[in-house]
């Protein structure tokens, strides 16, 4: 195994990121990794890339994108105006999940939040993802909240 | 009761917003509504106000700020690049909670998300806020996720 690198995603990483999101029991029904990529994906990439408070990241092993997550740095009035780091869309390539890459990627992400002055890191995960719950609890996250969603 | 107005918060609303956040069982331990406001609050207000993807809102009855919430409009790659609206820091003045203001404020907030093209509205709430759970479920939100937090 080469040294894994974690870095900001480039436009050329986008097909691999979409493929990672699609290779997932929940994502399979929601995503479309066929090429050329649907316009929504490239528009979203451009919006994220242009926003200093958004960081779409990849884990790279040589030429291969093997993981991804997105961090949103969020200013808020509560907690005395404290910034929060929010992590979403976390995926590790299905063949690489026993390598500790998810843990390293998350530690890197938490460090990005710390370096931006965030006092809290937050995320939500689907109630059905039992493996993810164990993963986050092992990293010191507390399951203190309920996450609600409403589709428009 | 006058007509309640919902609008983007102005700097002059900030002391009332902080007072609403502090007037809460969880917020009381986290906030400081003494004047002049702590620098963190004004810095956060300025960061939010300068960001086109953040909307700090107030509900106003005449000269009184009687409610607040914050919407973050978040671009993401998942769900085919769909935007999400995230609602945080929701409060209604303690003396006004039986007037249906929370419901009207939330309907207004969901409409802001819809007008920005969001496919999903999401929020988290502390597991201990049973009244809030009933409120969100009554508005058609599904408790599909677990919300994790880690303090840095």
């Amino acid at each position: 195994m080469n040294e894994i690198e974690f870095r900001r995603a480039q436009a050329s990483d986008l097909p691999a990121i979409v493929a990672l999101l699609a290779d997932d029991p929940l994502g399979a029904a929601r995503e479309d990794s066929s090429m050329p990529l649907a316009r929504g994906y490239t528009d979203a990439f451009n919006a994220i890339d242009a926003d200093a408070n958004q960081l779409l990241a990849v884990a790279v092993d040589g030429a291969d994108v093997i993981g991804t997550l997105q961090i949103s740095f969020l200013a808020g009035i509560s907690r005395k105006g404290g910034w929060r780091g929010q992590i979403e869309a976390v995926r590790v390539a299905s063949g690489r999940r026993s390598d500790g890459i998810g843990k390293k990627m998350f530690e890197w992400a938490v460090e990005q939040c710390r370096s931006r002055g965030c006092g809290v890191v937050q995320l939500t995960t689907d109630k059905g993802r039992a493996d993810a719950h164990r993963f986050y609890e092992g990293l010191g996250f507390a399951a203190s909240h309920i996450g609600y969603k409403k589709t428009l």
Side-chain angles (χ1 to χ4, degrees), chain A residues 8-151:
Chain A
R8 174 178 285 272
Q10 302 161 355
S12 57
D13 300 319
L14 188 56
I17 293 170
V18 174
L20 286 172
L21 295 174
D23 182 23
D24 173 87
L26 298 175
R30 293 197 296 234
E31 310 300 343
D32 174 9
S33 59
S34 64
M35 294 294 288
L37 286 176
R39 174 68 179 272
Y41 289 121
T42 50
D43 285 351
F45 179 86
N46 292 335
I48 293 167
D49 198 47
D51 187 337
N53 289 327
Q54 299 291 336
L55 173 55
L56 179 66
V58 285
V60 176
D61 183 0
D64 298 330
V65 174
I66 58 172
T68 182
L69 56 75
Q70 181 181 346
I71 312 176
S72 301
F73 302 105
L74 298 170
I77 302 299
S78 60
R79 297 173 186 257
K80 295 183 182 150
W83 284 73
R84 285 159 294 119
Q86 177 165 301
I87 302 180
E88 299 227 22
V90 181
R91 295 289 189 284
V92 173
S94 54
R96 305 297 296 267
R97 282 181 200 154
S98 55
D99 293 351
I101 292 164
K103 183 167 184 285
K104 282 182 197 151
M105 184 167 70
F106 234 79
E107 288 167 349
W108 176 87
V110 169
E111 196 49 44
Q112 303 304 305
C113 296
R114 200 187 305 272
S115 72
R116 284 281 303 247
C118 297
V120 173
V121 182
Q122 64 186 27
L123 62 95
T124 72
T125 185
D126 192 279
K127 281 183 176 175
R129 296 192 191 272
D131 288 352
H133 306 162
R134 280 189 292 273
F135 174 73
Y136 294 125
E137 285 160 20
L139 291 172
F141 282 80
S144 56
H145 283 59
I146 300 176
Y148 287 89
K149 290 191 195 272
K150 180 184 171 86
T151 306

